[in-house]
Amino acid sequence: MKPIRIRISRGKKGRLSARILASQLAILALTGAIGFVLFAFAQRAEIDRSYEQRALAIAQTAAAEPQIRRTMEYGGGSDVVQSVAERIRKASGASYVVVIDLHGIRYSHPQPTLIGEPVDDPIVVRDGHTHVGSDQGATGRSANGKAPVYGPNGALAGEVSAGLPERDALGELWRELPTFGLYAAIAVALGSAAAFLLARRLKRATFGLELEEIAGLLQDREAMLHGIREGVLAFDPDGRITVVNDEARQLLGLGTALGSTLAQVLPAGRLRSALDGTLTGADISVLTDEHCLVVNRMPVALRGRELGAVVTVRDRTELVGLLRELDSVRGLTDALRAQQHEFTNRMHTVAGLLDIGDHAAAHEYAVESAGAEQALTESVRERIGSALMVGLIVAKATVAAERGVLLVLSDDSALGEDPPQLRRLLTVVGNLLDNAVDAAVCGPVPARGREVRLSLVEAFDQVLVQVADTGPGIAPGTAETIFEDGWSTRPDRGTARRGLGLALVHRLVQRHGGTITVSEGPGAVFTIALPLPDTTPPPQSTLFTTASPLFAGAADGPERGDRW
């Protein structure tokens, strides 16, 4: 079957991809800016900690000077402390190196006027530990480190406070920011390229449709799928069900099938083969327990790429049943028309005999004709007790006789007035007789003439049905195939679609737990055994109903009979 080619009409090309790209670029720019600021703050904190540790190292160096240690413990020599502290300050680039005794009196300072003056802050090294932090002093804001000063005897004698100017830390930060900015720009550029590629991929995946158009298509699809009276299934390239509407669930008996394969939701058989594409062709007929379905599978492709397949399932149960009944009525009409001609001929014969005055011959001819037809009906009634079955057999015999086929009821046939399987038997016998008559007509003419033999035997635990014909028979190796839906060796006749009769019989027998066998070679013989009692309710669909005008009106006997 020719694949479905999808064509998408596009309006306002690129709008969706442009919107996605713009949104992603805005997000990248915002996150890049936030990351840059956070990184700058983190780097500033790291530089501050580094400067504080450098200031502490300067303070510890000054606190370890022997001259400062002796002077702070024994007193005097403030000029020595100032000289040593200034030398260390200039050598290290510190903004100040201040030596303070335990009373808070300065012994050194970059501004000599402050020497001998007390400091405002408390002495924090009394705990014997070093301290770091930021300090707003006379020389400006600095990174500060404080170390205790111990005299030669090991006693705490004061503290040294050293500071590095904060402007140096800011200068180092500003020197590093361009490098950080370059890294951020590279990250944004890479993200922009990735966003552009993603936008192009999304554009291809959505066939250039806008978001509003995609939402509209989804709404239209849901309304269409669940509003139509046909079952619709869609499969991806891996054979998984991606779409299934309510009608398909009802016709196929599917539950939650989305994402599953057919092998997971349906048993092996003709139905699954038609759905998965194993069976090819258009309008594949499939019989289920309740429906006669017509299945069509169509591959779907876009730009040469296989996207899966779409399967439609139509319910033809009522239509097929009505067509079968219509075909039966047409057969009965043809038979009645032929009988009318025969009756007219007989009446002409009687009228001719009366015209020539041979009244005895006319009477004898009329009695002989009536007796033969009555004997036909009585011979069936002797073996078959059910009026419906009698009507069916007599009507089928009449139609067969008009087609040049002799229908014979075997002498061992015996059926009660109300057999438990009557409705099934009517369907089974009617379909088998139709097929047997067709086969006999299509085959060569034997020496004894075309013939169909029927045997109906009601035993203690089962009912046996056997139908044999003189047709060409079943080809070797095809005994199992003939029961598949749609199998037939002849084209459709009239309105009735061929290939359903044997499939229907096979399904009914299986549903009731019976058996059906067929012989191979010339002259097919079908043998069916239906167990007793009848505990399974028969199907109620039109397709499985056999009470048609063909034998409903013939239940009390035929209008006219023919030879058997």
Side-chain angles (χ1 to χ4, degrees), residues 389-419:
M389 185 61 71
V390 172
L392 172 64
I393 296 174
V394 173
K396 293 296 184 182
T398 302
V399 174
E402 293 301 327
R403 302 181 66 185
V405 179
L406 177 64
L407 179 58
V408 179
L409 182 64
S410 65
D411 294 336
D412 63 344
S413 296
L415 190 67
E417 294 183 359
D418 188 21

Side-chain angles (χ1 to χ4, degrees), residues 376-385 389-390 393-394 397 406-415 429 433 451-457 466 564:
L376 171 64
T377 304
E378 291 302 326
S379 65
V380 178
R381 285 187 179 275
E382 290 176 359
R383 300 174 180 85
I384 306 300
M389 185 61 71
V390 172
I393 296 174
V394 173
L406 177 64
L407 179 58
V408 179
L409 182 64
S410 65
D411 294 336
D412 63 344
S413 296
L415 190 67
V429 173
L433 289 179
E451 185 179 276
V452 173
R453 301 187 64 86
L454 169 65
S455 175
L456 278 172
V457 180
Q466 190 175 76
W564 287 71

Side-chain angles (χ1 to χ4, degrees), residues 1-2 270 273-275 277-285 294-299 310-312 314 497:
M1 184 171 293
K2 186 178 180 180
R270 180 177 174 84
S273 298
L275 294 176
T278 304
L279 292 179
T280 58
D283 292 338
I284 301 174
S285 297
V294 176
V295 178
N296 282 284
R297 179 184 174 94
M298 293 158 287
V310 173
V311 176
T312 59
R314 288 173 287 174
R497 185 180 183 87

Side-chain angles (χ1 to χ4, degrees), residues 318-329:
E318 293 186 8
L319 178 60
V320 171
L322 291 174
L323 291 178
R324 290 173 62 84
E325 290 201 15
L326 178 59
D327 192 68
S328 299
V329 172

Side-chain angles (χ1 to χ4, degrees), residues 279-436:
L279 292 179
T280 58
D283 292 338
I284 301 174
S285 297
V286 178
L287 279 179
T288 66
D289 290 340
E290 298 179 356
H291 304 283
C292 176
L293 306 177
V294 176
V295 178
N296 282 284
R297 179 184 174 94
M298 293 158 287
V300 180
L302 175 65
R303 299 172 185 169
R305 180 165 56 99
E306 296 295 331
L307 300 181
V310 173
V311 176
T312 59
V313 181
R314 288 173 287 174
D315 186 7
R316 293 293 183 87
T317 305
E318 293 186 8
L319 178 60
V320 171
L322 291 174
L323 291 178
R324 290 173 62 84
E325 290 201 15
L326 178 59
D327 192 68
S328 299
V329 172
R330 286 185 175 180
L332 178 60
T333 303
D334 293 339
L336 292 177
R337 185 179 297 110
Q339 289 184 15
Q340 179 185 3
H341 287 293
E342 182 181 357
F343 181 77
T344 302
N345 292 334
R346 292 178 181 180
M347 290 300 99
H348 288 166
T349 302
V350 173
L353 291 173
L354 293 176
D355 287 341
I356 65 176
D358 193 347
H359 298 142
H363 179 267
E364 182 181 355
Y365 179 76
V367 171
E368 180 183 355
S369 298
E373 296 179 0
Q374 185 64 27
L376 171 64
T377 304
E378 291 302 326
S379 65
V380 178
R381 285 187 179 275
E382 290 176 359
R383 300 174 180 85
I384 306 300
S386 171
L388 281 176
M389 185 61 71
V390 172
L392 172 64
I393 296 174
V394 173
K396 293 296 184 182
T398 302
V399 174
E402 293 301 327
R403 302 181 66 185
V405 179
L406 177 64
L407 179 58
V408 179
L409 182 64
S410 65
D411 294 336
D412 63 344
S413 296
L415 190 67
E417 294 183 359
D418 188 21
Q421 308 88 349
L422 180 58
R423 295 185 64 184
R424 288 188 178 86
L425 283 175
L426 291 173
T427 299
V428 169
V429 173
N431 281 285
L432 289 181
L433 289 179
D434 286 341
N435 287 340

Side-chain angles (χ1 to χ4, degrees), residues 6 12 49 58 135 284 294 431 449 536:
I6 299 179
K12 301 179 180 179
R49 285 192 295 272
I58 295 171
D135 177 59
I284 301 174
V294 176
N431 281 285
T536 305

